Amino acid sequence: MDTIHAMMTRRSIRAFEDKPVAEDQINILLEAAMNAPSAGDGRPWQFAVTTDKAKLNALADQVDEGNPLIRQAGAAILICFDPAREGFKGFGEQDCACAAQNLQLAVHALGLGTVWLAVIHIPPRITGCRNVFGVPESLIPFALFPVGVPAEQLPPEYRFDEKLIHREAW
Amino acid sequence: MDTIHAMMTRRSIRAFEDKPVAEDQINILLEAAMNAPSAGDGRPWQFAVTTDKAKLNALADQVDEGNPLIRQAGAAILICFDPAREGFKGFGEQDCACAAQNLQLAVHALGLGTVWLAVIHIPPRITGCRNVFGVPESLIPFALFPVGVPAEQLPPEYRFDEKLIHREAW
């Protein structure tokens, strides 16, 4: 899929068909996420991946307030922030967000769907992710992405707003 | 350009040819940036754009320690974080990072080059951006992107690292 087209048509997907996500698709998503830029090229991220239904159900219950969303997904990918690998202090969240955006665009480019479930700054969700994946205390669960075959088709959303652009100066 | 290919071949470009960046290219970059996802769909960003040589020189002197990089660029785009538009408190930097990553991938997809110059958390750079663009005190300059026709061809960098992936659990 064309890069600009992917950005202009990607939507958050919150309903999935009962179909698996292939291992080679998951690997492409992880390649895309890890090829994001990061401050000082620190790459301060680690990933947990599951395709196991029991784990997906546990994530639904412990991270997403019982919402059926994660239960329906074929896989879930958790991005964790690794402060020990931060290239420049204070930029790790931005780095992880870039990895997350690459992951989301890659999901869409493969014809799959996902939605960004924020975890960092939300203590009960952090605890839930730690419980389900055994995330070490040295890492901070950043965001969780249920991934699946979309069961909804959403029209593109066009967010361009000329009022937010300042040509040459305010 | 294919989406996954763009992610796997994009590099930070630090040398530009003395050529302009067209207005319609700049508009595509801004469309891409503004179509990024954001927490609560708050879209907490604003943009400043210049193609003016005097302003590019001022940015080089006041933001990038006199480095010739920004002088050579055909344009520069500043992303500002707008705390008043933050959808969920504490997620604005992640939102702006997503806009920045879309912008960087779009630059590469158009055959142009850029490099992410961090501004937020770096007080002298924040002051420099405020001076050059007249950024209001209510906004926080986030990151500056000089954009130009690449004067260097860099091979792809492959950052995949299996050790950072935890299948099912740690």
Side-chain angles (χ1 to χ4, degrees):
Chain A
M1 184 186 292
D2 173 74
T3 307
I4 310 284
H5 181 76
M7 293 172 191
M8 302 312 288
T9 57
R10 185 208 56 80
R11 293 292 306 272
S12 296
I13 298 298
R14 295 184 173 86
F16 302 111
E17 292 188 9
D18 185 20
K19 291 180 180 169
V21 176
E23 201 55 44
D24 62 341
Q25 291 179 309
I26 291 173
N27 280 334
I28 291 171
L29 302 180
L30 293 167
E31 284 183 323
M34 287 195 220
N35 241 52
S38 56
D41 203 22
R43 312 173 194 184
W45 43 58
Q46 295 199 33
F47 301 84
V49 185
T50 183
T51 55
D52 177 66
K53 272 293 166 195
K55 270 208 165 57
L56 293 167
N57 285 333
L59 288 169
D61 292 333
Q62 296 189 42
V63 179
D64 202 26
E65 295 91 40
N67 195 314
L69 178 67
I70 309 179
R71 289 185 217 290
Q72 296 175 347
I77 299 175
L78 174 69
I79 302 179
C80 291
F81 167 42
D82 183 352
R85 294 163 49 89
E86 205 175 27
F88 289 104
K89 220 66 204 155
F91 288 91
E93 285 191 37
Q94 298 177 30
D95 298 336
C96 288
C98 285
Q101 181 59 4
N102 268 15
L103 188 146
Q104 289 197 110
L105 291 171
V107 164
H108 180 53
L110 293 182
L112 299 169
T114 191
V115 58
W116 180 318
L117 300 175
V119 178
I120 196 167
H121 306 314
I122 307 173
R125 289 189 171 187
I126 292 174
T127 303
C129 288
R130 288 199 193 284
N131 287 346
V132 175
F133 286 117
V135 181
E137 282 298 323
S138 58
L139 306 179
I140 304 167
F142 175 80
L144 182 66
F145 296 88
V147 178
V149 176
E152 58 181 356
Q153 300 298 328
L154 302 176
E157 197 166 1
Y158 185 64
R159 303 196 182 93
F160 183 82
D161 184 351
E162 182 69 43
K163 291 193 304 296
L164 301 179
I165 304 170
H166 308 276
R167 313 258 174 194
E168 300 304 338
W170 261 258
Chain B
M1 184 186 292
D2 172 74
T3 307
I4 311 282
H5 182 75
M7 293 172 191
M8 301 312 287
T9 58
R10 186 209 57 80
R11 293 292 306 273
S12 297
I13 299 297
R14 297 184 172 85
F16 302 111
E17 293 189 8
D18 184 19
K19 292 181 179 167
V21 176
E23 201 55 44
D24 63 341
Q25 291 179 309
I26 291 172
N27 281 334
I28 291 170
L29 302 180
L30 293 167
E31 284 183 323
M34 286 194 221
N35 240 52
S38 57
D41 203 22
R43 312 174 195 185
W45 42 58
Q46 296 199 33
F47 301 85
V49 185
T50 184
T51 56
D52 178 66
K53 271 294 167 193
K55 269 209 167 58
L56 293 167
N57 285 332
L59 287 169
D61 292 333
Q62 296 188 43
V63 179
D64 201 26
E65 296 91 40
N67 195 314
L69 178 68
I70 308 179
R71 290 185 216 290
Q72 296 175 349
I77 299 175
L78 174 69
I79 302 179
C80 291
F81 166 43
D82 183 352
R85 293 163 49 90
E86 204 175 29
F88 289 103
K89 221 63 204 157
F91 289 91
E93 286 192 38
Q94 298 178 31
D95 298 336
C96 288
C98 285
Q101 181 59 5
N102 267 16
L103 188 148
Q104 288 197 110
L105 291 171
V107 164
H108 180 52
L110 294 182
L112 299 169
T114 191
V115 58
W116 181 318
L117 299 176
V119 178
I120 196 167
H121 306 315
I122 306 174
R125 290 189 171 186
I126 293 174
T127 302
C129 288
R130 288 200 193 283
N131 288 345
V132 174
F133 286 118
V135 181
E137 282 297 323
S138 60
L139 305 179
I140 303 167
F142 175 79
L144 182 66
F145 296 89
V147 179
V149 177
E152 58 181 357
Q153 299 298 328
L154 301 176
E157 196 166 2
Y158 185 64
R159 304 196 182 92
F160 183 82
D161 184 350
E162 182 70 42
K163 290 192 305 295
L164 301 179
I165 305 170
H166 307 275
R167 313 258 175 193
E168 301 303 337
W170 263 258

